[in-house]
Amino acid sequence: MSGEAKTKDPAIVRRPGGRSARVRAAVYAAVLEELVETGYSRMTIESVAARADVHKTTVYRRWENIDALLTEAIRDSASTPVVPEDTGSLRGDLIAYASELVAVLSGRAGRIIAAALSSDAASVEGVQEIKAMIFETRLPLSTRIVARGIERGEVPEGTDAHEVIDFLTAPLYFRLIVSGGPLDERLARTTGAATAAAVEAGAFRGDDRQADPDRPR
Amino acid sequence: MSGEAKTKDPAIVRRPGGRSARVRAAVYAAVLEELVETGYSRMTIESVAARADVHKTTVYRRWENIDALLTEAIRDSASTPVVPEDTGSLRGDLIAYASELVAVLSGRAGRIIAAALSSDAASVEGVQEIKAMIFETRLPLSTRIVARGIERGEVPEGTDAHEVIDFLTAPLYFRLIVSGGPLDERLARTTGAATAAAVEAGAFRGDDRQADPDRPR
């Protein structure tokens, strides 16, 4: 799970602002553009090198193969977490979170994610690891939002932060990857408000389900 | 958008129980198994014919290419709608709907959908048309559930059935395609209960959002 480039010269890694970093940034950008525009199955080390305007041997020297390069580039692009502000209410916090994620998914990152998940790239082992990593990254943010809501008395004790973040983000990914509907502010507000209403009604309390009279036996 | 096989002999189509129908069923099953097990990019008319135990010329004669065959087979497999029962409550209806969809997505159809949407098959034009068709198919069911809820006095007037069905189904597709979490009865119950709470709170009333004091200007 190391994010470092494979390189034969460790000195290159030690100078993050130098030529090596510029080459790496150019190659990362090129492989992601190739993924989005050319598609996973047709892109090659050669096409990536040409787009980055570097010699193909430069790419071959640093990355074992196209999957290793793609995995690194996606991990690098996904490294900025979506941090929600404290708006003073659960509903406001969830709408703020959804708005930031809508902004991310409706831009370049969304095109990368859609291209990675809706193509054979989704089967690349490294890409699957990154998916898991991204969802783990989100959990602490959701936990903080839920904890603030409990402190305010808006959120029932025992609410599962993992389920809350799943429900908040699922409709956004659904539009991005499945239905193709608009990723806009209206979606962020509806999703945030709907999730807040469900949380406040206790829909994500694991222990509540045990005593549920409708529960099948 | 015709679901018929391309055939040079119209008489074949007129005898749905005959040899032609058996061949078609075998080839449909084979192409979907190839999609799931071999993957879209590596499957060929030859590999499909071998799996279906028919001569490859039989397949070539009836289908223009592998994409046309795959599109038809997916459309055929997707033709059974998920019909919810009237359980007497909005919450019950939504849980019943989610349960049926969980049963579908956790079985063979789910493997087909995941393979189709998480591979280069997602870019096939026919597959994109089917996606749109499936979501249109669901809308009348959702509309009936929402209408029953309004009659019972549980659901605010003006609730958008399209948004309701999106929110009910998104967490299921999210687990199938993005997060890989379990598609089980617990998910169906949580999703149904959460969506019902959001509907009852008026989260899917388009007109409500207009008067919302938190709405950004």
Side-chain angles (χ1 to χ4, degrees):
Chain A
M1 287 288 286
S2 159
E4 287 304 334
K6 175 198 169 199
T7 169
K8 287 177 181 163
D9 180 2
I12 291 174
V13 175
R14 281 186 223 118
R15 291 180 292 121
R19 181 176 171 275
S20 172
R22 287 196 304 275
V23 167
R24 192 185 300 131
V27 173
Y28 281 174
V31 74
L32 296 177
E33 282 165 23
E34 280 285 294
L35 173 69
V36 170
E37 291 172 24
T38 309
Y40 173 71
S41 299
R42 279 181 299 154
M43 70 190 193
T44 60
I45 290 279
E46 283 77 5
S47 68
V48 170
R51 193 185 280 266
D53 202 18
V54 300
H55 201 278
K56 66 178 178 181
T57 55
T58 304
V59 181
Y60 277 119
R61 201 166 52 231
R62 297 184 189 199
W63 292 279
E64 216 168 319
N65 53 46
I66 192 103
D67 284 354
L69 167 55
L70 178 64
T71 300
E72 253 188 52
I74 293 177
R75 184 180 291 130
D76 179 72
S77 79
S79 63
T80 314
V82 175
V83 181
E85 48 186 322
D86 183 351
T87 65
S89 73
L90 173 73
R91 186 170 176 282
D93 283 2
L94 292 175
I95 290 174
Y97 191 117
S99 290
E100 294 206 37
L101 190 55
V102 158
V104 170
L105 296 183
S106 60
R108 176 172 176 268
R111 289 190 293 277
I112 293 168
I113 293 168
L117 296 185
S118 305
S119 76
D120 286 2
S123 304
V124 173
E125 201 180 322
V127 172
Q128 294 188 324
E129 279 172 20
I130 293 167
K131 260 189 350 189
M133 189 190 74
I134 291 172
F135 295 112
E136 287 312 303
T137 307
R138 278 192 194 143
L139 192 53
L141 304 176
S142 173
T143 302
R144 284 208 297 279
I145 291 176
V146 169
R148 286 201 295 258
I150 291 173
E151 274 171 36
R152 288 185 205 108
E154 299 171 293
V155 174
E157 295 271 358
T159 294
D160 183 333
H162 208 299
E163 287 188 350
V164 174
I165 201 68
D166 263 22
F167 275 77
L168 185 68
T169 56
L172 280 50
Y173 282 91
F174 181 76
R175 289 222 176 155
L176 179 69
I177 296 167
V178 184
S179 79
L183 278 160
D184 55 15
E185 193 55 27
R186 178 180 164 143
L187 175 67
R189 293 187 61 74
T190 304
T191 308
T195 306
V199 170
E200 287 164 7
F204 304 119
R205 285 182 68 182
D207 53 353
D208 238 6
R209 269 187 297 276
Q210 302 306 318
D212 191 323
D214 293 332
R215 189 181 169 82
R217 284 153 216 286
Chain B
M1 288 289 286
S2 158
E4 288 303 334
K6 176 197 170 202
T7 170
K8 288 177 181 163
D9 181 1
I12 291 175
V13 176
R14 282 187 224 116
R15 292 182 291 121
R19 180 176 172 276
S20 172
R22 287 195 304 274
V23 167
R24 192 185 300 130
V27 173
Y28 281 174
V31 73
L32 296 176
E33 282 165 22
E34 280 285 294
L35 174 70
V36 171
E37 292 172 23
T38 308
Y40 173 72
S41 299
R42 279 181 298 155
M43 70 189 193
T44 60
I45 291 279
E46 284 77 7
S47 69
V48 170
R51 193 184 278 266
D53 202 17
V54 300
H55 201 278
K56 67 178 177 181
T57 55
T58 304
V59 181
Y60 276 119
R61 200 165 54 232
R62 297 185 189 199
W63 290 279
E64 217 168 317
N65 53 45
I66 192 104
D67 284 354
L69 167 55
L70 178 65
T71 300
E72 252 187 53
I74 293 177
R75 184 180 290 130
D76 179 72
S77 80
S79 62
T80 314
V82 175
V83 181
E85 47 186 324
D86 182 351
T87 65
S89 75
L90 173 73
R91 187 172 176 281
D93 283 2
L94 292 175
I95 290 174
Y97 191 118
S99 290
E100 295 206 36
L101 190 55
V102 158
V104 169
L105 295 183
S106 61
R108 177 172 175 268
R111 288 190 293 276
I112 294 167
I113 293 168
L117 296 185
S118 304
S119 76
D120 286 3
S123 304
V124 173
E125 200 179 324
V127 172
Q128 295 189 324
E129 279 172 20
I130 293 166
K131 261 188 352 188
M133 189 190 73
I134 292 171
F135 294 112
E136 287 311 304
T137 307
R138 278 191 194 145
L139 192 53
L141 304 176
S142 173
T143 302
R144 284 208 298 278
I145 290 175
V146 169
R148 287 202 294 259
I150 292 173
E151 275 171 35
R152 288 185 206 109
E154 298 171 293
V155 174
E157 295 270 357
T159 294
D160 184 332
H162 208 298
E163 287 188 349
V164 173
I165 201 68
D166 263 21
F167 276 76
L168 185 68
T169 56
L172 279 50
Y173 281 91
F174 182 75
R175 289 221 175 156
L176 180 69
I177 296 167
V178 183
S179 79
L183 280 160
D184 55 15
E185 191 55 27
R186 179 181 163 142
L187 175 68
R189 294 187 61 75
T190 305
T191 309
T195 307
V199 169
E200 286 164 6
F204 304 119
R205 284 182 68 182
D207 53 351
D208 237 6
R209 270 187 296 277
Q210 303 305 319
D212 191 320
D214 293 332
R215 189 181 171 82
R217 286 153 215 287

